[in-house]
Amino acid sequence: MHTLLAARALNRATLARQLLLERAGLPVLDAVAHLGGLQAQEPQAPFTGLWSRLRAFDPAALDALLTGRRVVRTHLMRRTVHLLTADDVLAWRSRFDTMLRQRVVGTYRRELADVDLAELAAAGRAVLADGEPRSMGELARAVADRWPAPGPRPLGELLIAALIPSAQLPPRGLWRTKAGVRNLPLAAWLGRDADPLDPDDGVGRTLVRRYLAAFGPAATADLRAWSGLAGLPAAVKAVREELVAFRDERGRELLDLPGAPRPDPGTPAPVRFLPAFDNAILGYDDRTRIIDDTHRGLSVAGERVVLVDGRVSATWTTENDTVVVRPLRRLTGPERDEVAAEGSGLAGFLSEGESACVRLEPS
């Protein structure tokens, strides 16, 4: 019989793994690696995500990693844009190839029905061989004479998000910088191709361990939700003897690394502000450990959220350098004070010290 982990125990484990129970003193590169990447379809989101997780986080450190080609913005988990270490991108990308192709083709099945994927990939690579960064649209238009029917959007997404492992280049994603998306193949940007697919699926086993380190305890359905891959059943089976098992209140089996932190459920959880699409929420199939089912839609709608006592309890936005908080439930007086203090710190971070203003709407 597996030990039961109640929702609060899972919540505290999640916060600890996600560096949200206590800010960590890790270097930025190590934090990005530990988290298995950060969701980055909103270019500034990783900065807020890291500010909430690291002590004395300096945005210039992340900028230096981006321009120094040690972290990369690319399509990977769930076919969404993530910020990952260059080492992880190169090691993992081939394991995601099939999923990425299937998701793009599934979205544009009718438009892409008559397109030979190998021929399209070769044509796209030939265009990019000149070393000139291009947007999806520019690359699609460059090959559109051979495939005029699909239109630029399906061709561009298929090329950049699936067929050609690519990096989004700076200045896209730099601190307080607005810039369009320009892409180069990973090989051109990082100096070598992604590792070939491993027939023994060592990458799959690595993904299982790395996921559990950052998100466990978790079910295989949670691993599938985070990665977009089909559950990695063979990889899970291969490492299962290394793992410990629990069950949650819904009866699901949860797997975990034996020595990973599982704090006491009574451990206090500080207020934390999360950016849109943060993987602390999206990294699970069952998100009730951190967000009520009533509010589940907020996480996929791009709302930025506030954790109070470890759970999504408010949304936030900015207006003229003021952080504006809109509670989703009645907050106690001490909770409002803590939200205001953390929100003021966030306002100072986002404005580089120009503002410390925070406004809490009525509960």
Side-chain angles (χ1 to χ4, degrees):
M1 181 69 75
H2 297 332
T3 300
L4 173 68
L5 288 179
R8 191 174 176 89
L10 286 177
N11 174 268
R12 292 316 195 247
T14 296
L15 298 180
R17 310 295 173 86
Q18 285 289 303
L19 313 181
L20 293 167
L21 198 58
E22 180 181 356
R23 281 186 167 95
L26 293 174
V28 174
L29 185 67
D30 293 350
V32 175
H34 167 76
L35 295 167
L38 291 97
Q39 184 90 9
Q41 61 203 73
E42 286 199 357
Q44 296 298 297
F47 292 94
T48 302
L50 290 169
W51 177 83
S52 289
R53 289 171 163 93
L54 299 180
R55 294 195 293 271
F57 169 62
D58 182 359
L62 182 54
D63 280 359
L65 292 171
L66 276 162
T67 57
R69 311 187 190 198
R70 300 188 69 193
V71 299
V72 180
R73 293 172 50 84
T74 189
H75 292 84
L76 202 65
M77 280 75 79
R78 307 184 297 278
R79 195 171 69 86
T80 56
V81 178
H82 276 70
L83 181 80
L84 299 109
T85 70
D87 288 344
D88 283 346
V89 171
L90 292 169
W92 296 355
R93 178 55 169 78
S94 296
R95 188 62 178 78
F96 286 80
D97 281 351
T98 299
M99 179 273 289
L100 293 169
R101 287 196 302 272
Q102 289 175 340
R103 290 206 171 195
V104 179
V105 171
T107 301
Y108 300 108
R109 190 172 303 280
R110 179 177 56 82
E111 294 90 338
L112 297 170
D114 297 324
V115 175
D116 183 293
L117 302 190
E119 290 183 7
L120 178 61
R125 289 181 183 278
V127 172
L128 291 167
D130 63 5
E132 183 68 26
R134 287 174 172 84
S135 68
M136 277 188 182
E138 289 169 340
L139 182 56
R141 288 189 290 273
V143 300
D145 57 335
R146 291 181 59 183
W147 294 277
R153 182 64 179 259
L155 287 178
E157 285 198 30
L158 185 56
L159 284 165
I160 293 298
L163 297 182
I164 304 174
S166 301
Q168 293 186 358
L169 305 193
R172 181 75 169 180
L174 296 182
W175 175 236
R176 292 167 60 94
T177 299
K178 292 183 178 181
V181 179
R182 313 285 287 178
N183 305 280
L184 270 183
L186 286 176
W189 182 242
L190 298 180
R192 69 175 178 89
D193 284 314
D195 295 345
L197 191 62
D198 176 7
D200 295 327
D201 202 20
V203 172
R205 296 192 293 275
T206 295
L207 286 169
V208 173
R209 298 184 187 101
R210 293 279 296 277
Y211 174 75
L212 292 175
F215 294 88
T220 54
D222 298 317
L223 171 62
R224 182 169 59 247
W226 167 73
S227 65
L229 301 172
L232 297 166
V236 172
K237 182 178 180 180
V239 302
R240 192 177 184 89
E241 291 188 0
E242 304 174 14
L243 307 177
V244 292
F246 304 91
R247 63 181 176 90
D248 65 13
E249 292 173 323
R250 300 186 177 192
R252 301 188 314 158
E253 183 185 58
L254 307 177
L255 301 174
D256 204 6
L257 302 173
R262 290 180 287 274
D264 186 284
T267 304
V271 166
R272 292 289 185 257
F273 283 69
L274 298 184
F277 309 113
D278 195 282
N279 276 333
I281 301 172
L282 292 187
Y284 298 96
D285 176 61
D286 181 356
R287 300 170 186 166
T288 56
R289 67 177 68 196
I290 197 166
I291 185 170
D292 295 342
D293 280 338
T294 306
H295 303 308
R296 181 184 175 103
L298 296 174
S299 58
V300 295
E303 292 281 358
R304 295 175 279 186
V305 300
V306 185
L307 303 183
V308 182
D309 192 27
R311 300 190 61 79
V312 172
S313 301
T315 62
W316 69 276
T317 187
T318 55
E319 297 176 7
N320 300 320
D321 287 339
T322 296
V323 170
V324 180
V325 178
R326 296 181 174 88
L328 297 169
R329 64 168 175 82
R330 183 172 297 280
L331 301 179
T332 66
E335 286 175 338
R336 290 180 69 88
D337 290 344
E338 189 179 358
V339 169
E342 186 75 358
S344 179
L346 177 60
F349 170 72
L350 295 175
S351 67
E352 294 189 321
E354 294 296 320
S355 171
C357 296
V358 59
R359 185 174 79 243
L360 268 71
E361 302 289 354
S363 296

